[in-house]
Amino acid sequence: MKFFLDTANLDEIRAGAAMGLVDGITTNPSLVAKEGKDFKTLVGQICEIITGPVSAEVVSTECNAMMKEARELTKIADNIIVKLPTIAEGVKACKICTEEGIRTNLTLIFQPLQALAVAKCGASFCSPFLGRLDDIGHDGMDLIADIRTIYDNYHFSTEILAASLRHPLHVVQAAKLGADVGTMPFKVFEMMLKHPLTDIGLEKFLADWGKMKS
Ligand code: E4P
């Protein structure tokens, strides 16, 4: 499973990159707005730190306008993935992007047929939002399982990017179900390596080592 960070914060991205575990980045308009910086400049800076896929989202809702944004975004860096909303206009834009060789991430996916449609249009990634489904009383993991089955049935190469992951257990579950990528906030990324027994065990090892006569 590839690990993506779901953030537009440069400090978090640098810290994640330093650990050597970050394969890519996802951003969205809310995450970018939080940083209060010029969108394209910020995305360019992210692409200088991370060489893997960096998703940057369009904010238009009509196909031609989306395509204009998509073509502009791809000029920022070679590793830009154009993020499009999974609405009819976004799916139309996805098809055109595929024809033009622009890589895409179709976002805000909440049901399996959206995932099937975007794969048929050649999306590079599909982003089911698990946490937001859990928030309204559904089991987001069912969606990952359904998409995995459908993509495997028809040999689609679209990668399943498990998004809206809120805690480490979400990452574990998505990995067990075969999601290709998990994108997570920095705080979840940090929690992935933590276990209290690891800290207690290490403390004891070092204390015992300290007692040893040299
Ligand atoms: C993914 O691309 C999205 O930016 C993200 O995972 C949304 O997560 P949220 O539901 O926690 O806002």
Side-chain angles (χ1 to χ4, degrees):
M1 184 192 225
K2 291 172 202 160
F3 293 152
F4 286 9
L5 280 183
D6 193 33
T7 181
N9 182 280
L10 293 174
D11 290 336
E12 291 182 348
I13 292 169
R14 283 192 198 99
M19 285 191 59
L21 276 176
V22 176
D23 301 301
I25 299 291
T26 50
T27 66
N28 64 40
S30 307
L31 292 171
V32 171
K34 222 164 69 178
E35 298 307 311
K37 295 180 179 164
D38 173 71
F39 175 41
K40 286 182 187 161
T41 309
L42 180 58
V43 169
Q45 288 169 332
I46 295 173
C47 290
E48 279 169 22
I49 305 169
I50 300 291
T51 54
V54 173
S55 287
E57 189 158 342
V58 304
V59 287
S60 305
T61 53
E62 184 274 324
C63 178
N64 289 330
M66 285 179 184
M67 283 312 304
K68 193 162 177 266
E69 281 189 67
R71 293 180 190 117
E72 283 301 312
L73 287 172
T74 55
K75 289 183 195 155
I76 298 174
D78 289 344
N79 52 333
I80 286 287
I81 307 293
V82 175
K83 208 171 178 192
L84 298 163
T86 308
I87 55 175
E89 291 294 299
V91 171
K92 261 161 69 179
C94 174
K95 180 87 181 168
I96 299 171
C97 282
T98 303
E99 285 160 7
E100 293 188 11
I102 297 173
R103 290 187 295 161
T104 51
N105 174 0
L106 272 285
T107 189
L108 290 167
I109 288 190
F110 292 99
Q111 52 105 335
L113 290 180
Q114 291 177 310
L116 176 55
V118 305
K120 283 169 72 72
C121 290
S124 316
F125 298 94
C126 84
S127 288
F129 276 33
L130 311 178
R132 293 193 193 186
L133 278 171
D134 287 2
D135 290 345
I136 59 159
H138 290 268
D139 185 351
M141 290 301 153
D142 290 346
L143 178 57
I144 295 286
D146 285 346
I147 300 174
R148 183 72 281 157
T149 302
I150 292 168
Y151 282 9
D152 290 349
N153 281 350
Y154 297 103
H155 308 291
F156 284 118
S157 57
T158 301
E159 292 188 59
I160 302 172
L161 194 165
S164 187
L165 302 177
R166 302 273 167 77
H167 47 71
L169 187 57
H170 268 156
V171 184
V172 174
Q173 291 169 325
K176 284 167 81 172
L177 290 168
D180 300 287
V181 186
T183 190
M184 63 203 87
F186 188 67
K187 79 171 185 324
V188 176
F189 177 78
E190 283 185 306
M191 284 163 76
M192 284 199 307
L193 289 180
K194 291 221 187 297
H195 196 285
L197 289 180
T198 305
D199 297 337
I200 292 167
L202 180 61
E203 204 179 313
K204 172 103 177 55
F205 284 157
L206 295 180
D208 289 345
W209 186 258
K211 287 180 218 154
M212 201 171 60
K213 291 197 182 95
S214 50

